Amino acid sequence: MKLPQASRTFQCALVVFSSMLAASAHAQEREFRLRDVNLQKQANSVLALMGYQVVPDLTTSSLSIKNASTGNPDIGMSQLSGGFTWSRSTPLYMEGGIAGSRYSPTFLMTNGDDSSHVPVKWNGLSVTAGVGWDFPTPIKEMVFRPILNGAYGYMASDLKIAESLVNRLAGTDLDFINGGHLTAVGYGGSVMLDYEHYRPEHEIDVELRYTHIHLQSVGGSEAVQGHATAQTLGLWSRWRAPTRMYIMRRPVRYVLEFAESVFFGDQRDLLGFNYLTSFGAGIEFDSGRYDSIITRTRLVGRYLIGENVQGFSVGLAVSF
């Protein structure tokens, strides 16, 4: 996806990493610094960005954004997640996910007389887990599912490309290069209404979910400490029906999807949009007749739109 106008908050969020450069960079005559740095606000914004990784959500499972006019900042995120109910007799629900991200901003260092651009690379990894229970509702085939969620996130810098430039400007090695990182833990929960209507002629899945996860830094570089809250309200739906084609002695199904996500809390206005809408279509292969761990495989193309953004992605999913 391309973001024509990067939000001021997002630009401010990524500048947090540059504060570590300014904190330890000293030239022999005049210090190179980055002006107007608000460490607390920037650290909070970085954790708010991590919130997109720790909340299980279809619309942000694959996200790539950059400023179309300058290419700065640049951000990419990918998420793999899933969940299942143990059995009808024991309606224990379990879910988990893992997500990776890469931020590529460029910062300007100056001492008032001279200035130079410094490229920075940040790699992030996060994991999320949840445990819930399915309660029946008056509506047949619908359950109410409260979930307890926990998350862990880690982000580390990669300044090897800029190390020689920083050393030339500052005249000293930076501790940040040897271990600048941010570690965060998250806790919270979700509530979900899950409707499953399965018939031989078609299958319908609809989920309405609200997730609230609080993220707090718990170590890492002292200059990067903060907190943020990720809040997402999401609607996801899928229609599956068999076609006349057969593969592996089972009918091939066509798949239609619709998803809508609305962002609140610290994520609101962070990336220049407050909602994302996804339309998907694809096919599904059934391998249930064979002795295989994977029972179904889906290939779905999705078109995503939102405020100031649009894009296309292809997703691969399997059922066990």
Side-chain angles (χ1 to χ4, degrees), residues 198-246:
Y198 291 172
R199 299 292 185 272
E201 61 274 14
H202 62 255
E203 298 180 1
I204 301 174
D205 292 278
V206 181
E207 294 180 358
L208 179 64
R209 174 173 180 153
Y210 173 76
T211 302
H212 184 119
I213 296 179
H214 178 78
L215 288 166
Q216 178 68 51
S217 59
V218 290
S221 302
E222 295 182 359
V224 184
Q225 299 293 319
H227 58 84
T229 300
Q231 297 172 262
T232 303
L233 176 63
L235 173 67
W236 171 84
S237 60
R238 175 186 291 152
W239 169 283
R240 294 182 288 196
T243 67
R244 295 182 179 181
M245 296 185 299
Y246 280 76

Side-chain angles (χ1 to χ4, degrees), residues 149-169:
N149 291 111
Y152 173 84
Y154 181 83
M155 299 178 67
S157 65
D158 178 9
L159 281 179
K160 295 185 182 301
I161 297 176
E163 182 175 0
S164 60
L165 175 61
V166 172
N167 289 340
R168 179 174 59 85
L169 292 174

